[in-house]
Amino acid sequence: MRYLFEDFAFDTDRRELHRGTEMVSIAPQVFDLLDYLIRNRERVVSKDDLISAVWNGRVVSDAALTTRLNAARSAIGDTGEKQRLIKTLPRKGFRFVGTVEEAERSTVEPAGSAAHSGDTKHVPASAPRLSIVVLPFANLGGDIEQDYFVDGVTENLTTDLSRIGGSFVIGRHTAFTYKNKAVDLKQIGRELNVRYVLEGSVQRGSNQLRVNVQLIDAETGSLLWAERFEKPVADLFDMQDEIVSRLASTLNAQLIAAEARRAERSLHPDAMDLYFQGMARWNKRWTPEHMAQARSFFDRALALDSENVEALVGIAAVDAASATLLLVDDPRVRLLAAEKALTKALSLAPQHALAHMFLGVVQFATNRAAQGIAECEHALALNRNLADAHGSLGAAKIFAGRAAETEACILEALRLSPRDEGVHRWLSYVGGAKFQLGADTEAVVWLRRSLKANPNYPVAHFQLAAGLALLGELDEARAAVKAGLALDPTFTIRRTRGISWSDNPTFRAGAKRVSKGMRMAGVPEG
């Protein structure tokens, strides 16, 4: 159905909003809110009505609802002051008051539309950001009894991808209409109005399971990313869970990178374009340069939309990481700023998994380890595939004096995302835990693994130097300090004391041993 009002066309089938021939960018949740208001324009709808329809009854703050209403008004050229189209009735609710004409979509097409024209050369430019269909994986083994396993991978991956913030994922019932059919991926993109198509296959041998996946740009048909991995056949349900978790974790980063490349071609980037470009930098190595670039994009996004939740979380992530990785001399200031941004983000989006995770990081780095652990666990309850939340949980355990539990958390992070950018950090957390447990030899082993994953990680060089010095290997320790200072010439022992990390006696004893080792290795005192 198409709803026409003023010079706008609101298409519920294709989930598009046009002003004349121009496509208006609109977030999926804002689209749903506007859809509900227009469909129910003959009556006043209450706040509870909107929450039930748009958020499925989840707890939503007044600030979050106001933000979405303001975004809906902005998309159709209205404001909270004018209320020309969306009127707020105090203590009653809201009503769409514009004059609306209904039209079947096939009778009125916007200029240049390819819908139903037989033109399969491109996807409409209006395909939503992060829009994807997961096609049914192919069962290459030919064993019909294995179909349930292969279909389960498709269904669960569809569900998990929908947890990505701002994603638009085609439902499994629609996706399964393409099962066992020869398909033109560009045509599927046009038919479903999605930017990306994921296809894959599963092949089971006598004792080995092989999974192949490909992420395709539905507009061009080009391959964006491919992965293949094999595992010994074990418990099929456990394997299904691991396959889905790995793919969902990796695809999150791959889709953001693809959206960032699109955004770079935009002459007039909006807040979400800038957010994706910031995240693409963030997902690279966490160097001061990359984080500064990411922060710049997030700042620009907030300048356009002061309540952009993703940009708020991005800024908090940069500040929290800069502080906890000892990259700056003002960690307390950075952590305070991060907590302020996260508090605002969570007031707008209470169920934002990454926001909860980074709030946990801020808390365990500011002598609130128990709260930090709870926030990381909350993040995992919201998104079980958030590998970095397992890593952060492992770090939080150190600050709580529970270092013996850290390794298991890190192993789970590695299982979910073995090629993650954060692998070197996670490995170094285990090294830190081993120091606390007095296992200096094991700490050195884990820190060497960290530096093998990323030789350009300064903190691990200084940690390694401490471990080697404590073991009496002073020549190697000094070499590690030299390597660390080459990467970060400003690093000092004083910087490690710039945060009131924790007053847990077990943690403090371990931290003193690391400082002693650094001092023995020749790290500048500062």
Side-chain angles (χ1 to χ4, degrees):
M1 178 64 71
R2 285 165 56 84
Y3 297 97
L4 310 178
F5 54 94
E6 296 192 343
D7 54 347
F8 290 93
F10 187 78
D11 190 325
T12 59
D13 294 328
R14 293 170 60 187
R15 295 183 65 82
E16 296 175 2
L17 175 65
H18 286 265
R19 185 169 196 169
T21 59
E22 295 294 320
M23 176 69 184
V24 179
S25 177
I26 185 168
Q29 207 169 58
V30 176
F31 186 98
D32 292 339
L33 187 150
L34 193 54
D35 183 18
Y36 187 78
L37 287 171
I38 292 173
R39 289 181 190 271
N40 293 275
R41 60 191 179 277
E42 300 302 325
R43 67 183 181 91
V44 176
V45 299
S46 68
K47 182 180 78 169
D48 290 341
D49 290 335
L50 284 174
I51 291 172
S52 177
V54 179
W55 285 273
N56 296 317
R58 296 195 302 272
V59 176
V60 177
S61 67
D62 288 344
L65 179 58
T66 300
T67 297
R68 302 305 187 275
L69 278 166
N70 288 341
R73 285 188 169 117
S74 177
I76 56 177
D78 200 0
T79 67
E81 293 181 1
K82 294 181 179 178
Q83 297 191 10
R84 189 181 72 257
L85 295 171
I86 300 176
K87 189 170 183 61
T88 300
L89 289 87
R91 295 182 297 280
K92 293 183 179 179
F94 314 92
R95 184 179 174 189
F96 192 91
V97 295
T99 301
V100 178
E101 177 185 347
E102 296 185 8
E104 293 295 330
R105 184 164 61 85
S106 59
T107 64
V108 186
E109 289 293 343
S113 173
H116 302 295
S117 68
D119 177 8
T120 62
K121 292 182 180 179
H122 67 281
V123 177
S126 57
R129 294 185 178 96
L130 288 179
S131 52
I132 186 172
V133 59
V134 181
L135 293 180
F137 278 33
N139 177 10
L140 299 185
D143 182 355
I144 295 178
E145 293 184 358
Q146 191 176 300
D147 264 2
Y148 78 91
F149 172 79
V150 179
D151 288 351
V153 169
T154 308
E155 293 179 26
N156 291 339
L157 186 55
T158 298
T159 299
D160 284 4
L161 288 180
S162 69
R163 294 190 175 101
I164 297 173
S167 64
F168 176 73
V169 184
I170 297 296
R172 58 91 58 199
H173 292 292
T174 298
F176 269 78
T177 62
Y178 295 97
K179 184 173 181 178
N180 298 325
K181 294 180 181 177
V183 292
D184 179 327
L185 299 184
K186 290 193 287 185
Q187 183 175 349
I188 288 177
R190 179 177 63 82
E191 291 175 353
L192 301 178
N193 199 26
V194 294
R195 289 185 174 183
Y196 308 104
V197 177
L198 186 78
E199 60 177 358
S201 63
V202 179
Q203 185 172 14
R204 182 180 179 182
S206 58
N207 58 1
Q208 200 80 359
L209 194 75
R210 175 180 294 176
V211 180
N212 289 280
V213 289
Q214 294 186 125
L215 180 65
I216 307 297
D217 184 319
E219 180 177 1
T220 64
S222 59
L223 177 67
L224 297 175
W225 168 77
E227 179 71 283
R228 182 180 76 180
F229 60 92
E230 298 183 9
K231 286 189 66 66
V233 173
D235 182 277
L236 284 181
F237 287 109
D238 285 346
M239 292 183 68
Q240 187 182 93
D241 181 61
E242 181 170 347
I243 290 166
V244 170
S245 297
R246 275 199 190 190
L247 290 177
S249 178
T250 306
L251 275 166
N252 191 339
Q254 294 297 330
L255 288 168
I256 285 173
E259 290 294 339
R261 289 191 291 270
R262 288 175 181 268
E264 287 171 358
R265 300 194 294 268
S266 174
L267 296 177
H268 303 288
D270 63 16
M272 289 307 294
D273 289 327
L274 295 167
Y275 161 73
F276 285 125
Q277 291 185 77
M279 281 302 299
R281 269 63 172 189
W282 170 260
N283 285 337
K284 295 181 179 180
R285 299 286 191 196
W286 284 6
T287 64
E289 180 184 9
H290 287 156
M291 286 199 280
Q293 291 171 350
R295 176 65 184 264
S296 175
F297 280 114
F298 297 143
D299 282 336
R300 289 169 60 193
L302 278 183
L304 294 177
D305 177 3
S306 63
E307 294 189 335
N308 186 295
V309 171
E310 306 301 338
L312 284 166
V313 175
I315 281 178
V318 171
D319 282 343
S322 297
T324 56
L325 297 181
L326 306 177
L327 298 176
V328 293
D329 290 322
D330 59 346
R332 289 189 180 91
V333 174
R334 297 297 187 99
L335 289 168
L336 183 64
E339 187 160 6
K340 182 178 179 181
L342 291 167
T343 300
K344 182 175 181 180
L346 286 169
S347 74
L348 298 170
Q351 304 303 312
H352 198 293
L354 266 178
H356 283 287
M357 185 199 82
F358 280 112
L359 181 58
V361 172
V362 170
Q363 288 173 337
F364 75 63
T366 52
N367 201 15
R368 292 173 285 170
Q371 292 166 265
I373 288 172
E375 286 294 336
C376 290
E377 289 174 339
H378 189 178
L380 287 168
L382 294 168
N383 183 355
R384 66 192 179 95
N385 298 319
L386 196 54
D388 218 8
H390 286 286
S392 298
L393 182 59
K397 297 292 182 73
I398 300 173
F399 294 88
R402 295 161 57 183
E405 301 171 34
T406 296
E407 185 174 344
C409 297
I410 300 309
L411 291 177
E412 181 62 14
L414 293 169
R415 185 183 74 85
L416 289 174
S417 191
R419 300 181 185 177
D420 201 281
E421 183 282 327
V423 164
H424 62 284
R425 287 182 281 107
W426 302 339
L427 295 171
S428 75
Y429 296 160
V430 185
K434 297 299 182 182
F435 280 132
Q436 193 176 100
L437 297 170
D440 298 338
T441 300
E442 291 183 59
V444 166
V445 170
W446 283 92
L447 291 164
R448 289 195 192 280
R449 287 181 63 188
S450 170
L451 290 169
K452 184 176 181 181
N454 179 10
N456 298 316
Y457 184 36
V459 173
H461 282 287
F462 298 121
Q463 287 179 298
L464 176 62
L468 290 168
L470 292 171
L471 292 171
E473 305 289 343
L474 290 179
D475 288 342
E476 284 190 74
R478 294 186 186 105
V481 172
K482 184 177 180 180
L485 290 175
L487 294 167
D488 184 358
T490 65
F491 186 88
T492 63
I493 294 175
R494 183 181 61 82
R495 188 182 290 177
T496 68
R497 299 192 295 269
I499 305 176
S500 301
W501 298 101
S502 172
D503 58 10
N504 178 275
T506 304
F507 170 83
R508 291 177 69 84
K512 285 181 180 178
R513 291 187 68 250
V514 174
S515 294
K516 176 184 176 182
M518 287 186 182
R519 199 169 287 110
M520 291 168 60
V523 176
E525 191 73 36

